[in-house]
Amino acid sequence: MFTKGTKRKFSDPGEEPASSGDPGPAAPSAAARTLSSSYSLQRQSLLDMSLIKLQLCHMLVEPNLCRSVLIANTVRQIQEEMTQDGTWHIMTQALAAAQCPADRLVATEVLCRQTDAAAQAGQSPKPFSVVGLQEGYHSEEVVMEGDVETEVTMSSLSPLSPQLSSASYLTGPFEVGPCWEEEDEEEDHSESSEPSLMSEHSRHPALEELFSDVDPSYYDLDTVLTGTPKMGPYDLLESLSSHGPTALSSSSSCRSDLNELDHIMEIIVGS
Amino acid sequence: VKYPDCLCFAADIISTVEFNYSGELLATGDKGGRVVIFQHEQESKNRPHLRGEYNVYSTFQSHEPEFDYLKSLEIEEKINKIRWLPQQNAAHFLLSTNDKTIKLWKISERDKRAEGYNLKDEDGRLRDPFRITSLRVPVLMPMDLMVEASPRRIFANAHTYHINSISVNSDHETYLSADDLRINLWHLEITDRSFNIVDIKPANMEELTEVITAAECHPHQCNVFVYSSSKGTIRLCDMRAAALCDRHSKFFEEPEDPSSRSFFSEIISSISDVKFSHSGRYMMTRDYLSVKVWDLNMENRPVETYQVHEYLRSKLCSLYENDCIFDKFECCWNGSDSAIMTGSYNNFFRMFDRNTRRDITLEASRESSKPRATLKPRKVSTGGKRKKDEISVDSLDFNKKILHTAWHPKENVIAVAATNNLYIFQDKIN
C-alpha cells in the first residue's frame, strides 16, 4: 500500500524506536547512542527524501507551490537542527572528503555567467562550485523556457578531467546575478570543492542521454542548505514554482538581460 | 445516483462538489474541466420512491486546457471550485474556476419554442417576402425540456499563482478569489478589473515560507472574510479597515503542543479548508489529521477538535514519502450546524455530531452501497488485535481518498466524491 521507500519510519526521540526496526540496545548508554544514531539516520533520510521531492517537481504543469513551500520548510528545519547539533558541519566535511566516482553527477550549483564562473574557478573553491574546476570548464546560462526569473546552468566538464565525465545539470534554477556573486564570497567557501551531487530531471530531450547513467542517490546538501540566505531552498522554490513574476524581485533585477532564446539555442546547439 | 462509472478515465476524477442554496441542484466539477449538474427529483404521488434521487440535469465543458507560451507550461482545465450564486430568477448561475480563470455560467431551461414565424419556414428556411400574403402571430409551443449552459462572464488574467478558492459575498454582487499568495475581490459584472485585497508575496521569493490555502467570505457580513495558511493559522479581515487587508483583524492559531513536535508538525498543521458555519458565528478548519471548530470571538484556540484519522500519526513519514501528507481534504457543515463531515482514505468519510459528540465512519464504495441499503459503520483497528469487521491501518488504500464532500443545506442528504464516482446518501430517519 505504501510505495517502496525507506524502511525506517521516522520517529521522534520521544517515540518508540521499535518501529524503526533497530535492534534493542543492551545498556542505557548504548541505548542513548543507538537512539541518537537511529534518529540521525532517520533525519538524514528525511532530508534526502525532501531534496528528491524538491528536485523532481518539474512537469509540464506548474508545480504545487504549497507543497514546495512545506517541503522546503522541512528541509530548513532539519538543517537548523543539524546545525545546532554540530552534525551539519561534520556531514559537509564528510562529503568533501569522499571520493568521486566517474559516473556520478557532479556539482549542483547555480553559477553566474560563464565569466564569473571562470573567475571564481581560480579563487577559493566554493561549495556550489563544480568539482574540479579547471581549464576547459565551460558553463552556460540557460533560461528555463519562458521563465523569466529562473535559470539553469549546464556545465560540461573538460575532457581533461578524468574523474568528471558526465555533465552536470541543474534542475532547479536559482537566482543569479551580481548579488548572488557577492554571497559566494562568504565564509562557506572554506569548504573544499566536493563531489556534490544532485538528482536530476531533464526536461530537455537533447540532454536526457547525457544523464542516462546518473546515479540519483547522491545529493548536494550544501547547494540547498548551506546557510547563505540567498542560496536557501527558496531558490528551488522560486524555480520550481516557475511563476512569471509580475513584480521582479530585487535579485532578479541584478540578472543578466541576455535573450532567453539565445540561451535555449545555446543548449540545443550544445556549444 | 452515480456518475457513469463504467469507464474510469482520469478526466473523470471529481475535483469539486457543491449544492446550490436550495439544495435542488448539485454541481460537480472534474479533472477534465467538465461540470455536471444533478437535480433533485420532484415529489410525485405516483412514484414516491423517486423522491431523493438526483438525476443529471446539465453537462457542459467549463474549462479547456490551455498552454502558457510564455512559461512553457500547461494550465490544467481541472475545476478547482464551483460556487453557486443565490437564485434571483428562473435561471441558475454558478462560478467555476480552474487554476487561473474564473467563469460565470448561466444555466437556463427552455421548454417552449416559438412556432409560426412569418419570415421563415418551420425548418428555418427564409421565406420570400413577396410571397407572404398574410401575417400571423407566432405562438409558443411546448417542447422537450432543454437545459442550456452559457458562459456569461470570464474573469481572467488576475492570478499569477494557482487559484484555490472562490467565495460569493453576502451582498451577491461581489466575490473573492484566492491563490497561493494573493486574494482578489471582483464585481460580478466587471471582468476587466479586480481589487487585490490580500498580498503575502514577499519582495524576495526566497523568503517565502507560508502560502494561502483557502479563503471564504462571511455568510452575513459582507465586509468580513477569512483566509487560512499553510502554517495552520487563520486570519479574519475586515474590508472596511483598509483597501489592502494585509493587517488582519483577528488571528486564529492554536498553540503547538511541544510534546508532539516533529519534522512533520508544520505540514500536518497546514489548513486545507476553511468554512464558516451557516450561522456565521463559527468557522471550521481542516488540517491533515483533524477538524477544528473555532468561535470567531476566541482567537487563541478552537472550541472543538475532532480527530479524523489519528491512527495515521505514526505513519507520517510514509505518508510524506508517497505525498499523501499533502492531500487537501475539505469539510462541510450540515444545514443546522449541528454536524460536520469530512473525508479520509480507503473511501471512508467521517461525520461528527457536535451535540452528542458521537462520530461515525462510513464507506463510499459500490460494494457497501447498494441502492436503498443502509450504510454500515466502519472502524479502523489501531491496536494489535483486529476485530472481525475492522480494517487494519496497513490495509487502508491510500489511493482511495475522499477529498470532496457536500451537505444539502436543508435536508439530510450528502454528496461524497470518491475519485471518479459520486455517491449521494440520504438519511431516512427524518
XYZ file of all heavy atoms in Angstrom, chain A residues 1-6 9-10 12 39 43 46 49-50 53 59-62 65-67 69-71 73-74 77-78 81 145-146 175 203 230 234-235 237-238 242-244 246-247 249, chain B residues 70-74 76 100 160-162 180-182 201 203-206 208-211 213 230 261-264 266-267 270 314 317-323 326 328 393-394 396 398:
742
model
N 0.832 -1.193 0.000
C 0.000 0.000 0.000
C 0.865 1.240 0.000
O 0.669 2.150 -0.755
C -0.894 -0.066 1.249
C -1.453 1.262 1.605
S -1.662 1.370 3.375
C -0.120 0.946 4.009
N 1.843 1.273 0.816
C 2.776 2.395 0.762
C 3.764 2.124 -0.353
O 4.149 1.011 -0.612
C 3.548 2.529 2.072
C 2.683 3.025 3.201
C 2.507 2.245 4.335
C 2.045 4.250 3.126
C 1.718 2.699 5.381
C 1.260 4.698 4.164
C 1.102 3.930 5.289
N 4.162 3.162 -1.004
C 5.161 2.964 -2.050
C 6.464 2.529 -1.414
O 6.737 2.817 -0.255
C 5.392 4.259 -2.831
O 5.755 5.285 -1.913
C 4.120 4.661 -3.558
N 7.225 1.864 -2.196
C 8.513 1.403 -1.672
C 9.352 2.595 -1.258
O 9.415 3.601 -1.929
C 9.244 0.649 -2.784
C 9.177 -0.848 -2.607
C 10.128 -1.520 -3.582
C 10.108 -3.006 -3.378
N 10.653 -3.368 -2.075
N 9.995 2.458 -0.183
C 10.803 3.598 0.237
C 11.652 3.242 1.423
O 11.996 2.089 1.619
N 11.976 4.214 2.170
C 12.852 3.981 3.311
C 12.189 3.022 4.275
O 11.005 3.113 4.563
C 13.146 5.283 4.043
O 11.900 5.881 4.408
C 13.911 6.222 3.142
N 10.806 4.127 9.613
C 9.813 5.168 9.722
C 10.386 6.213 10.649
O 10.973 5.904 11.659
C 8.522 4.602 10.305
C 7.852 3.659 9.333
C 6.426 3.428 9.764
C 5.599 2.704 8.747
N 6.120 1.687 7.995
N 10.186 7.424 10.285
C 10.763 8.467 11.092
C 10.009 8.578 12.397
O 8.795 8.599 12.432
C 10.704 9.802 10.358
C 11.373 10.889 11.137
C 12.748 11.007 11.134
C 10.639 11.746 11.909
C 13.364 11.992 11.870
C 11.262 12.737 12.642
C 12.619 12.854 12.616
N 10.242 10.549 16.370
C 10.959 11.439 17.270
C 11.692 10.631 18.310
O 11.321 9.500 18.594
C 9.955 12.354 17.983
C 9.533 13.470 17.059
O 10.133 13.592 15.987
O 8.614 14.200 17.416
N 18.111 8.129 15.260
C 17.443 9.389 14.969
C 18.182 10.138 13.876
O 17.576 10.691 12.957
C 17.369 10.219 16.246
C 16.794 11.600 16.051
C 15.430 11.792 15.935
C 17.621 12.718 15.971
C 14.899 13.053 15.747
C 17.101 13.980 15.778
C 15.742 14.148 15.669
O 15.220 15.395 15.474
N 16.706 11.163 10.362
C 16.678 12.572 9.979
C 17.364 12.759 8.644
O 16.900 13.502 7.785
C 17.363 13.399 11.065
C 17.330 14.897 10.810
C 17.890 15.647 11.989
N 19.266 15.320 12.265
C 19.950 15.801 13.304
N 19.362 16.620 14.153
N 21.199 15.453 13.492
N 15.200 11.571 5.889
C 14.127 12.525 5.658
C 14.636 13.701 4.839
O 13.958 14.191 3.925
C 13.565 13.017 7.001
C 12.406 14.011 6.906
C 11.200 13.363 6.260
C 12.036 14.538 8.276
N 15.083 12.541 1.263
C 13.766 12.414 0.633
C 13.227 13.772 0.249
O 12.667 13.968 -0.831
C 12.825 11.719 1.624
C 11.622 11.092 0.975
S 10.334 10.741 2.177
C 11.221 9.773 3.389
N 13.385 14.726 1.148
C 12.854 16.068 0.886
C 13.551 16.705 -0.294
O 12.922 17.369 -1.116
C 13.016 16.946 2.121
O 12.402 16.359 3.232
N 12.248 15.309 -3.448
C 10.928 15.848 -3.758
C 11.020 17.239 -4.350
O 10.294 17.595 -5.261
C 10.071 15.891 -2.491
C 9.542 14.545 -2.072
C 8.688 14.696 -0.832
C 8.121 13.376 -0.403
N 7.246 12.783 -1.434
N 7.379 19.316 -14.144
C 6.444 18.631 -15.021
C 5.987 19.627 -16.048
O 6.457 20.743 -16.086
C 5.243 18.145 -14.218
C 5.607 17.239 -13.083
S 4.202 17.059 -12.001
C 4.645 18.193 -10.702
N 5.053 19.213 -16.807
C 4.529 20.114 -17.816
C 3.654 21.184 -17.168
O 3.508 22.284 -17.669
C 3.717 19.310 -18.836
C 3.643 19.918 -20.230
C 5.033 20.249 -20.730
C 2.947 18.957 -21.169
N 3.120 20.821 -16.036
C 2.259 21.770 -15.326
C 3.073 22.407 -14.204
O 4.005 21.806 -13.696
C 1.046 21.033 -14.712
C 0.044 22.006 -14.149
C 0.409 20.140 -15.752
N 2.693 23.598 -13.835
C 3.393 24.263 -12.739
C 3.264 23.444 -11.466
O 2.189 22.978 -11.135
C 2.794 25.642 -12.505
C 3.267 26.672 -13.497
C 2.531 27.981 -13.307
O 1.345 28.035 -13.608
O 3.163 28.929 -12.848
N 2.781 25.063 -5.379
C 3.612 25.956 -4.571
C 3.508 25.627 -3.092
O 4.498 25.653 -2.364
C 3.208 27.410 -4.829
C 4.070 28.473 -4.150
C 5.498 28.410 -4.624
C 3.497 29.860 -4.378
N 2.313 25.305 -2.645
C 2.130 24.984 -1.226
C 2.990 23.791 -0.842
O 3.688 23.814 0.174
C 0.650 24.688 -0.971
S 0.279 24.321 0.749
N 2.952 22.764 -1.638
C 3.747 21.566 -1.348
C 5.232 21.904 -1.327
O 5.962 21.480 -0.432
C 3.446 20.520 -2.417
C 4.238 19.233 -2.321
C 3.807 18.273 -3.425
N 4.634 17.086 -3.475
C 5.778 16.999 -4.124
N 6.233 18.038 -4.782
N 6.468 15.867 -4.126
N 6.652 24.754 -0.708
C 6.977 25.567 0.469
C 7.073 24.692 1.704
O 7.981 24.828 2.520
C 5.921 26.676 0.661
C 6.056 27.335 2.024
C 6.052 27.728 -0.427
N 6.138 23.775 1.847
C 6.151 22.911 3.030
C 7.387 22.017 3.046
O 8.005 21.810 4.096
C 4.873 22.064 3.069
C 3.586 22.829 3.385
C 2.363 21.937 3.216
C 3.623 23.394 4.801
N 7.748 21.488 1.902
C 8.938 20.631 1.858
C 10.185 21.461 2.151
O 11.073 21.041 2.914
C 9.070 19.947 0.484
C 7.886 19.016 0.235
C 10.371 19.150 0.409
C 7.832 18.453 -1.163
N 10.410 24.137 3.903
C 10.434 24.451 5.337
C 10.927 23.257 6.140
O 11.635 23.415 7.143
C 9.038 24.862 5.821
C 8.617 26.226 5.302
O 9.422 26.944 4.708
N 7.369 26.587 5.515
N 10.540 22.065 5.721
C 11.005 20.866 6.416
C 12.514 20.728 6.290
O 13.210 20.439 7.265
C 10.317 19.615 5.828
O 8.909 19.799 5.853
C 10.685 18.361 6.614
N 14.163 23.152 8.575
C 14.109 22.706 9.977
C 15.204 21.691 10.259
O 15.866 21.744 11.298
C 12.775 22.029 10.263
C 11.641 22.958 10.605
C 10.394 22.140 10.883
O 10.382 21.338 11.811
N 9.374 22.320 10.081
N 15.349 20.753 9.346
C 16.372 19.723 9.539
C 17.744 20.369 9.564
O 18.587 20.057 10.406
C 16.294 18.662 8.426
C 14.958 17.940 8.464
C 17.444 17.667 8.554
C 14.739 16.987 7.323
N 18.349 22.144 12.819
C 18.617 21.234 13.927
C 20.005 20.626 13.793
O 20.732 20.479 14.777
C 17.565 20.129 13.963
C 17.594 19.329 15.248
C 16.543 18.262 15.244
O 15.365 18.613 15.465
O 16.887 17.090 15.021
N 12.779 27.650 -20.247
C 11.947 28.223 -21.291
C 10.849 29.085 -20.716
O 10.002 28.638 -19.978
C 11.294 27.103 -22.090
C 12.298 26.153 -22.682
C 11.603 24.946 -23.280
O 11.115 25.070 -24.394
O 11.513 23.914 -22.596
N 10.931 30.288 -21.109
C 9.840 31.183 -20.782
C 9.831 31.670 -19.358
O 9.068 32.533 -19.009
N 18.369 31.927 -8.369
C 18.579 33.334 -8.634
C 20.052 33.555 -8.896
O 20.902 33.049 -8.174
C 18.179 34.156 -7.427
C 16.687 34.097 -7.148
C 15.899 34.863 -8.178
O 16.277 36.006 -8.467
O 14.925 34.326 -8.697
N 14.373 18.235 -18.616
C 13.207 18.469 -19.436
C 13.584 18.588 -20.883
O 12.746 18.633 -21.742
C 12.509 19.745 -18.989
C 11.613 19.530 -17.796
C 11.029 20.817 -17.340
N 10.289 21.464 -18.404
C 9.999 22.746 -18.424
N 10.395 23.526 -17.462
N 9.332 23.283 -19.403
N 20.602 33.713 0.392
C 20.180 33.710 -0.990
C 20.235 32.319 -1.597
O 19.653 32.081 -2.631
C 21.078 34.628 -1.816
C 20.884 36.084 -1.524
C 20.596 36.836 -2.811
C 20.522 38.321 -2.547
N 19.261 38.710 -2.016
N 14.730 28.184 -0.937
C 13.757 29.028 -1.580
C 14.137 29.330 -3.007
O 13.316 29.715 -3.807
C 13.579 30.314 -0.780
C 13.416 29.961 0.664
C 14.395 30.285 1.584
C 12.338 29.194 1.080
C 14.273 29.893 2.892
C 12.224 28.804 2.390
C 13.187 29.155 3.287
O 13.082 28.768 4.569
N 15.417 29.134 -3.277
C 15.811 29.275 -4.669
C 15.137 28.201 -5.473
O 14.664 28.419 -6.566
C 17.320 29.144 -4.801
C 18.023 30.132 -3.921
O 17.499 31.235 -3.783
O 19.072 29.786 -3.369
N 12.465 26.824 -4.620
C 11.081 27.230 -4.628
C 10.801 28.145 -5.783
O 9.853 27.999 -6.513
C 10.792 28.024 -3.352
C 10.176 27.260 -2.219
C 9.783 28.256 -1.159
C 8.966 26.501 -2.691
N 11.653 29.106 -5.882
C 11.500 30.117 -6.903
C 11.442 29.467 -8.252
O 10.577 29.740 -9.065
C 12.696 31.074 -6.813
C 12.654 32.168 -7.822
C 11.551 33.157 -7.561
O 10.405 32.891 -7.956
O 11.847 34.197 -6.971
N 8.102 28.376 -10.783
C 8.116 28.781 -12.188
C 7.054 29.795 -12.516
O 6.439 29.748 -13.572
C 7.911 27.567 -13.100
O 8.971 26.662 -12.929
N 6.821 30.661 -11.626
C 5.783 31.645 -11.905
C 6.406 32.898 -12.472
O 7.338 33.448 -11.921
C 5.044 32.010 -10.620
C 4.283 30.849 -10.079
N 3.185 30.348 -10.706
C 4.473 30.096 -8.972
C 2.719 29.344 -9.988
N 3.473 29.168 -8.946
N 5.878 33.280 -13.579
C 6.384 34.531 -14.139
C 6.067 35.647 -13.182
O 4.976 35.750 -12.670
N 5.143 39.125 -11.694
C 4.508 40.380 -12.061
C 5.375 41.512 -11.562
O 5.481 42.552 -12.178
C 3.113 40.496 -11.413
O 3.226 40.158 -10.039
C 2.164 39.525 -12.090
N 5.989 41.270 -10.437
C 6.961 42.251 -9.961
C 8.267 41.518 -9.740
O 8.313 40.536 -9.032
C 6.483 42.868 -8.655
N 11.697 40.393 -8.346
C 12.329 40.536 -7.038
C 13.639 41.275 -7.210
O 14.154 41.427 -8.308
C 12.574 39.169 -6.424
O 13.419 38.437 -7.271
N 4.396 31.690 -22.610
C 5.494 32.441 -22.003
C 6.299 31.568 -21.057
O 7.506 31.689 -20.955
C 4.900 33.641 -21.252
C 5.848 34.793 -20.983
C 6.402 35.346 -22.281
C 5.127 35.884 -20.205
N 5.606 30.714 -20.338
C 6.302 29.902 -19.358
C 6.482 28.462 -19.822
O 7.035 27.645 -19.092
C 5.515 29.874 -18.045
C 5.311 31.219 -17.418
C 4.549 31.033 -16.118
C 3.826 32.282 -15.728
N 2.849 31.989 -14.666
N 5.975 28.158 -20.998
C 6.020 26.776 -21.487
C 5.414 25.804 -20.489
O 5.992 24.769 -20.183
C 7.474 26.358 -21.749
O 7.773 26.524 -23.099
N 4.286 26.158 -19.982
C 3.638 25.290 -19.012
C 2.168 25.161 -19.369
O 1.538 26.096 -19.849
C 3.759 25.869 -17.598
C 5.157 25.839 -16.998
C 5.177 26.685 -15.738
C 5.587 24.419 -16.677
N 1.650 23.991 -19.069
C 0.233 23.774 -19.297
C -0.576 24.364 -18.158
O -0.139 24.327 -17.006
C -0.062 22.281 -19.362
C 0.037 21.708 -20.754
C -0.483 20.274 -20.792
O -1.103 19.833 -19.823
O -0.237 19.622 -21.811
N -3.880 23.559 -16.319
C -4.841 22.474 -16.228
C -6.266 22.967 -16.335
O -6.594 24.052 -15.836
C -4.688 21.774 -14.867
C -3.584 20.756 -14.836
C -3.685 19.923 -13.562
O -3.727 20.530 -12.481
O -3.742 18.704 -13.676
N -6.459 29.275 -13.077
C -6.170 30.658 -13.488
C -7.386 31.508 -13.824
O -7.303 32.734 -13.736
C -5.268 30.647 -14.741
C -3.932 29.985 -14.534
C -2.979 30.856 -13.759
C -1.612 30.229 -13.669
N -0.679 31.022 -12.919
N -1.532 35.144 -10.748
C -0.244 34.587 -11.153
C -0.087 33.172 -10.629
O 0.531 32.328 -11.267
C 0.896 35.453 -10.584
O 0.680 36.791 -10.966
C 2.242 34.983 -11.097
N -0.633 32.922 -9.467
C -0.482 31.618 -8.828
C -1.792 30.844 -8.941
O -2.760 31.339 -9.501
C -0.032 31.819 -7.375
C 1.247 32.614 -7.312
C 1.239 33.994 -7.140
C 2.474 31.989 -7.513
C 2.416 34.721 -7.148
C 3.652 32.708 -7.517
C 3.615 34.065 -7.345
O 4.779 34.776 -7.373
N -1.800 29.649 -8.432
C -2.958 28.779 -8.638
C -4.112 29.150 -7.723
O -3.962 29.206 -6.508
C -2.567 27.315 -8.386
C -1.656 26.791 -9.427
N -1.082 25.546 -9.355
C -1.204 27.328 -10.580
C -0.321 25.353 -10.419
N -0.387 26.419 -11.175
N -2.306 31.151 -4.177
C -1.347 30.830 -3.126
C -0.863 32.063 -2.376
O -0.488 31.969 -1.210
C -0.120 30.124 -3.731
C -0.466 28.758 -4.298
O -1.204 28.008 -3.618
O -0.019 28.449 -5.408
N -0.826 33.190 -3.052
C -0.218 34.354 -2.409
C -1.112 35.594 -2.389
O -0.796 36.558 -1.694
C 1.100 34.721 -3.112
C 2.192 33.632 -3.061
C 3.432 34.075 -3.823
C 2.580 33.328 -1.621
N -2.190 35.573 -3.136
C -2.997 36.790 -3.219
C -4.483 36.475 -3.202
O -4.919 35.393 -3.597
C -2.677 37.544 -4.514
C -1.229 38.010 -4.605
C -1.086 39.016 -5.724
N 0.276 39.505 -5.821
C 1.188 39.024 -6.662
N 0.873 38.054 -7.489
N 2.398 39.538 -6.689
N 2.872 37.952 -0.900
C 4.094 37.620 -1.645
C 5.233 38.461 -1.092
O 5.131 39.675 -1.028
C 3.883 37.933 -3.128
C 5.090 37.626 -3.991
C 4.753 37.851 -5.467
C 5.812 37.234 -6.355
N 6.892 38.137 -6.686
N 8.876 40.342 -1.029
C 9.647 41.007 -2.078
C 10.672 40.046 -2.668
O 10.926 40.036 -3.868
C 10.338 42.240 -1.506
N 11.214 39.234 -1.810
C 12.173 38.237 -2.240
C 11.553 36.860 -2.086
O 11.304 36.418 -0.967
C 13.441 38.357 -1.385
C 14.557 37.500 -1.912
O 14.352 36.687 -2.807
N 15.741 37.685 -1.349
N 11.310 36.191 -3.184
C 10.616 34.904 -3.108
C 11.377 33.873 -2.288
O 10.803 32.891 -1.834
C 10.378 34.347 -4.524
C 9.141 34.916 -5.197
S 7.608 34.441 -4.364
C 7.266 32.860 -5.128
N 12.644 34.108 -2.100
C 13.409 33.158 -1.286
C 12.974 33.197 0.163
O 13.264 32.287 0.928
C 14.893 33.480 -1.390
C 15.437 33.211 -2.789
C 16.734 33.942 -3.010
O 17.194 34.625 -2.082
O 17.291 33.819 -4.101
N 9.935 33.183 1.063
C 8.580 32.644 1.171
C 8.553 31.416 2.055
O 9.239 30.430 1.798
C 8.076 32.293 -0.236
C 6.668 31.705 -0.305
C 5.650 32.737 0.114
C 6.380 31.206 -1.704
N 7.730 31.472 3.098
C 7.618 30.303 3.965
C 6.170 29.911 4.220
O 5.899 28.920 4.877
C 8.276 30.558 5.338
O 7.658 31.701 5.919
C 9.766 30.777 5.211
N 5.254 30.721 3.723
C 3.848 30.491 4.047
C 2.995 30.864 2.836
O 3.276 31.864 2.165
C 3.474 31.376 5.240
C 2.119 31.095 5.860
C 1.888 31.918 7.120
O 2.682 32.840 7.382
O 0.910 31.646 7.832
N 1.975 30.052 2.565
C 1.076 30.378 1.462
C -0.367 30.364 1.950
O -0.689 29.800 2.997
C 1.226 29.390 0.276
C 2.637 29.413 -0.280
C 0.835 27.989 0.666
N -4.010 28.992 1.756
C -4.544 27.695 1.352
C -6.039 27.715 1.074
O -6.533 26.893 0.296
C -4.252 26.638 2.432
O -4.711 27.146 3.699
C -2.761 26.342 2.528
N -0.698 27.827 5.210
C -0.007 26.538 5.297
C 0.668 26.351 6.645
O 1.212 25.287 6.921
C 1.035 26.444 4.172
O 1.923 27.542 4.253
N 5.802 17.521 18.895
C 6.505 18.203 17.801
C 7.369 17.214 17.024
O 8.046 16.375 17.576
C 7.400 19.311 18.375
C 8.292 19.919 17.342
C 8.284 21.443 17.422
N 8.942 21.990 16.240
C 8.300 22.268 15.115
N 7.022 22.114 15.033
N 8.950 22.712 14.070
N 7.313 17.326 15.696
C 8.181 16.508 14.852
C 8.471 17.331 13.602
O 7.991 18.444 13.451
C 7.491 15.192 14.475
O 6.517 15.427 13.483
N 9.242 16.760 12.723
C 9.538 17.466 11.484
C 8.298 17.621 10.615
O 8.287 18.394 9.671
C 10.638 16.753 10.695
C 12.009 16.944 11.269
C 12.777 15.866 11.645
C 12.527 18.220 11.450
C 14.050 16.043 12.175
C 13.786 18.414 11.981
C 14.548 17.317 12.345
N 7.267 16.866 10.936
C 6.053 16.939 10.129
C 5.001 17.848 10.741
O 3.912 17.995 10.178
C 5.466 15.530 9.947
C 6.433 14.566 9.337
C 6.965 13.526 10.081
C 6.834 14.716 8.029
C 7.870 12.648 9.526
C 7.739 13.845 7.457
C 8.259 12.806 8.202
N 4.605 21.002 11.019
C 4.088 22.111 10.219
C 3.227 21.617 9.074
O 2.167 22.170 8.801
C 5.241 22.963 9.673
C 4.730 24.193 8.952
C 5.820 25.005 8.295
O 6.840 25.245 8.962
O 5.638 25.374 7.113
N 3.687 20.547 8.435
C 2.934 20.058 7.282
C 1.536 19.617 7.686
O 0.554 19.909 7.001
C 3.678 18.900 6.594
C 5.047 19.370 6.104
C 2.854 18.354 5.432
C 5.860 18.291 5.440
N -0.954 22.433 8.311
C -1.407 23.230 7.174
C -2.899 23.027 6.961
O -3.383 21.899 6.907
C -0.639 22.804 5.916
O -1.147 23.454 4.782
N 1.327 7.925 13.383
C 2.584 7.176 13.425
C 3.070 6.794 12.031
O 4.111 6.165 11.891
C 2.390 5.916 14.264
O 1.327 5.157 13.719
N 5.762 9.559 8.198
C 6.925 9.507 7.298
C 6.567 8.825 5.988
O 6.924 9.307 4.911
C 8.089 8.801 7.972
S 9.622 9.015 7.056
N 5.857 7.720 6.075
C 5.436 7.049 4.844
C 4.483 7.920 4.038
O 4.543 7.954 2.809
C 4.730 5.733 5.176
O 5.569 4.913 5.927
N 3.621 8.615 4.735
C 2.665 9.469 4.040
C 3.353 10.673 3.419
O 2.874 11.245 2.438
C 1.565 9.906 5.015
C 0.682 8.754 5.499
C -0.126 9.161 6.720
C -0.250 8.289 4.388
N 4.474 11.043 4.004
C 5.260 12.119 3.406
C 5.948 11.604 2.154
O 6.008 12.275 1.134
C 6.287 12.613 4.424
C 7.217 13.708 3.937
C 6.744 15.007 3.752
C 8.560 13.453 3.683
C 7.596 16.004 3.325
C 9.411 14.456 3.256
C 8.930 15.731 3.083
O 9.773 16.732 2.653
N 6.420 10.389 2.247
C 7.139 9.811 1.120
C 6.232 9.638 -0.089
O 6.620 9.929 -1.220
C 7.701 8.459 1.550
C 8.680 7.893 0.559
C 9.106 6.504 0.966
O 8.691 6.041 2.050
O 9.837 5.890 0.194
N 5.019 9.159 0.132
C 4.129 8.959 -1.013
C 3.249 10.165 -1.299
O 2.315 10.079 -2.081
C 3.275 7.693 -0.829
C 2.324 7.791 0.348
O 2.072 8.862 0.881
N 1.779 6.661 0.770
N 3.568 11.261 -0.658
C 2.912 12.553 -0.917
C 1.492 12.656 -0.391
O 0.844 13.681 -0.577
C 2.896 12.860 -2.427
C 4.058 13.763 -2.818
O 4.991 13.894 -1.996
O 4.013 14.327 -3.915
N 0.226 15.612 1.691
C -0.148 16.889 1.092
C -1.579 16.893 0.557
O -2.015 17.879 -0.043
C 0.819 17.250 -0.044
C 2.239 17.354 0.402
C 3.168 16.379 0.068
C 2.663 18.419 1.188
C 4.486 16.455 0.498
C 3.978 18.504 1.622
C 4.885 17.524 1.283
N -5.361 17.466 0.189
C -6.177 18.557 0.738
C -7.616 18.092 0.890
O -8.383 18.029 -0.071
C -6.114 19.760 -0.205
C -4.741 20.401 -0.243
C -4.799 21.758 -0.943
C -3.432 22.342 -1.162
N -2.737 22.743 0.050
N -4.839 -0.559 9.814
C -4.291 0.646 9.202
C -3.470 0.309 7.961
O -3.506 1.024 6.955
C -3.419 1.419 10.209
C -2.910 2.702 9.596
C -4.207 1.732 11.459
N -2.751 -0.779 8.025
C -1.874 -1.128 6.903
C -2.638 -1.637 5.695
O -2.078 -1.758 4.610
C -0.849 -2.178 7.357
C 0.080 -1.619 8.415
O 0.555 -0.482 8.216
O 0.303 -2.291 9.438
N -5.339 -0.083 4.606
C -6.069 1.033 4.012
C -5.519 1.349 2.633
O -4.306 1.311 2.404
C -5.947 2.283 4.902
C -6.601 2.200 6.277
C -6.262 3.437 7.089
C -8.105 2.056 6.151
N -4.635 4.021 0.209
C -4.416 5.450 0.235
C -4.637 6.106 -1.114
O -4.525 7.316 -1.247
C -3.016 5.759 0.780
C -2.943 5.562 2.260
C -2.881 4.290 2.803
C -2.993 6.635 3.129
C -2.852 4.087 4.167
C -2.961 6.449 4.499
C -2.902 5.170 5.024
